[in-house]
Amino acid sequence: MTPSGAEYIRQIKSQIDEVDPAEVQDNLDNGVAIVDVRESEELSQGHLPGAKHVPRGYLESRIEGAAPDRSQRVVVYCASGQRSALAAKTLRDDLGYENVQSMTGGITLWKDRGYDVEVPRALSAEQRERYSRHMLMPEVGLEGQVKLLDAKVLLLGAGGLGAPAALYLAAAGVGTIGIVDDDEVDLSNLQRQVIHTTAGVGTPKVDSAQEAMNALNPDVNVVKHPVRLDASNIMEIIEGYDVIVDGADNFPTRYLLNDATVRLGIPVVSASILGFDGQLSVFKPFDGPCYRCLYPVPPPAELAPSCGANGVLGVLPGTMGLLQATEVIKLVVGTGEPLIGRLLLYEALGATFTELKVRRDPDCPVCSRPSEISDEEMGVFPDYEAFCAAAG
């Protein structure tokens, strides 16, 4: 005789370990992995502090992201304790978790006891639909999408690299995107700077970029900086941004940006392109090397000609700009392994990627002495035009 649903749940509960919400409350900060196995639409009612969301139907494919150590204590919960009992049995019997418990009464009893509940920020119905594919991913989810919506990212340049990065960061829902560029759209730009159009030739790039970004996602706040970045304005412009996308086309600006971002502790996703070749790295102050560690002095001019002098494959900036956008999203959401301490080289003709390890220079004049910089020195920078001219 087949048992009823209620009898089946009772049988399951007799086979697993259950834990009272009071004990869970006492152990929230003791290295316990708390896993919410409810459906996504239930999260708006709140969740336990620090809980990771893994719907019960996705345990097999997603639990390692929430609890990678199978010997760690794991507490699962749902609305009332029934689905979490089933989840606990699956984790123990099928997935090899050694110390799994189901929280009695679920979040309903937790709330009745008056314990703290974190209520995620509610997204509008349009936002839920727009970002639905992000929220299906355990590495992003609702929490990650909210981080993107709250993020402030600055694009240094609305040219070849900035164009694809701007479009995809806007599409991803980055809430505030700043653009620094004092140039106007030229017909020669359109071969690679896909954010601009023929109708926009002659207009400021910041205006052309804003129009395209808001047409794609009207929720994005585009902050325009129609100026050339220099020592007199860089600290004022970049302060308050979470990540900077470096699409500069000259060494003095890159060195200046590096100095300022190290002083303010802002990570930079840097890329460069020439001909068929591109390179990419992430410079996160004090977590890895800075740009000056990688390039103590700029290469001679004959070894680093500009795209205007040497040319560039039109699709190459798209490839590298999208890789930049990907690194930005990883930094903001806090997932994956950003390219910190690694330099990625792409050669389009052979379709090859090469990765090089890059280490901090203990004698770097920029990132080896952060505590020695006084308040008066914060906005004072070397003359990098002269520095690069001397090196060339």
Side-chain angles (χ1 to χ4, degrees):
M1 180 176 178
T2 303
S4 65
E7 177 61 29
Y8 177 68
I9 292 296
R10 281 194 291 270
Q11 291 179 9
I12 294 296
K13 287 187 175 184
S14 70
Q15 300 170 22
I16 62 164
D17 292 330
E18 291 190 287
V19 61
D20 189 84
E23 185 181 344
V24 178
Q25 163 69 16
D26 292 340
N27 288 277
L28 283 177
D29 299 323
N30 293 337
V32 180
I34 310 295
V35 180
D36 186 330
V37 298
R38 296 174 297 163
E39 298 303 313
S40 297
E41 57 268 20
E42 297 176 85
L43 294 182
S44 61
Q45 302 166 17
H47 59 80
L48 271 63
K52 300 293 185 181
H53 179 231
V54 183
R56 190 171 74 87
Y58 293 90
L59 280 176
E60 289 82 355
S61 60
R62 299 184 181 179
I63 187 59
E64 286 194 357
D69 182 359
R70 283 175 166 76
S71 64
Q72 179 184 15
R73 183 184 177 190
V74 178
V75 173
V76 293
Y77 74 91
C78 59
S80 63
Q82 297 189 20
R83 284 172 290 172
S84 60
L86 297 168
K89 188 174 188 303
T90 298
L91 289 174
R92 185 194 65 191
D93 296 349
D94 299 338
L95 300 177
Y97 282 81
E98 301 169 10
N99 187 6
V100 186
Q101 296 170 311
S102 171
M103 190 175 77
T104 305
I107 197 168
T108 301
L109 182 56
W110 177 274
K111 289 180 177 179
D112 289 344
R113 298 277 181 85
Y115 299 140
D116 289 342
V117 173
E118 293 181 354
V119 179
R121 195 174 81 202
L123 301 186
S124 68
E126 180 180 332
Q127 287 175 321
R128 284 189 170 276
E129 182 176 359
R130 180 183 289 271
Y131 307 120
S132 61
R133 300 306 186 270
H134 267 177
M135 292 191 290
L136 288 171
M137 301 172 64
E139 298 85 355
V140 182
L142 175 61
E143 181 181 356
Q145 188 59 54
V146 169
K147 288 180 180 179
L148 289 169
L149 291 167
D150 290 341
K152 296 180 179 180
V153 175
L154 180 67
L155 301 174
L156 184 51
L161 293 167
L167 287 172
Y168 271 89
L169 291 175
V174 172
T176 299
I177 301 178
I179 308 174
V180 181
D181 202 309
D182 67 340
D183 201 2
E184 295 182 348
V185 179
D186 183 85
L187 191 60
S188 66
N189 300 150
L190 304 184
Q191 163 250 16
R192 63 201 177 280
Q193 299 178 20
V194 294
I195 202 167
H196 309 299
T197 66
T198 302
V201 170
T203 64
K205 286 186 177 179
V206 291
D207 293 341
S208 173
Q210 180 189 32
E211 182 178 353
M213 293 161 70
N214 283 150
L216 181 62
N217 189 347
D219 287 342
V220 175
N221 175 32
V222 180
V223 181
K224 297 181 289 187
H225 303 278
V227 297
R228 184 173 183 81
L229 204 65
D230 60 31
S232 70
N233 60 22
I234 187 168
M235 296 296 278
E236 179 184 358
I237 289 175
I238 72 172
E239 190 168 15
Y241 284 99
D242 302 308
V243 185
I244 294 177
V245 178
D246 176 16
D249 59 0
N250 64 87
F251 283 105
T253 301
R254 289 181 184 272
Y255 282 118
L256 177 64
L257 177 67
N258 182 68
D259 276 25
T261 51
V262 167
R263 295 178 190 185
L264 292 175
I266 304 173
V268 176
V269 180
S270 180
S272 59
I273 51 173
L274 186 67
F276 289 90
D277 300 316
Q279 65 179 39
L280 175 75
S281 191
V282 173
F283 302 110
K284 188 175 183 182
F286 317 119
D287 281 6
C290 73
Y291 186 79
R292 190 73 179 272
C293 295
L294 181 60
Y295 296 108
V297 296
E302 62 270 17
L303 297 181
S306 68
C307 291
N310 199 67
V312 62
L313 182 68
V315 298
L316 181 66
T319 302
M320 304 309 298
L322 294 187
L323 288 173
Q324 282 184 288
T326 303
E327 292 300 303
V328 170
I329 291 172
K330 287 159 56 180
L331 288 169
V332 171
V333 174
T335 190
E337 298 180 13
L339 278 168
I340 299 169
R342 295 181 290 154
L343 178 66
L344 186 68
L345 307 177
Y346 173 60
E347 197 273 307
L349 279 177
T352 60
F353 285 93
T354 304
E355 183 181 298
L356 305 176
K357 298 290 185 182
V358 185
R359 292 181 173 83
R360 286 185 68 183
D361 179 359
D363 298 318
C364 175
V366 176
C367 70
S368 65
R369 58 181 196 93
S371 60
E372 299 176 16
I373 299 175
S374 66
D375 291 341
E376 292 75 18
E377 293 178 299
M378 282 293 285
V380 179
F381 301 97
D383 184 345
Y384 279 117
E385 295 284 354
F387 173 74
C388 292

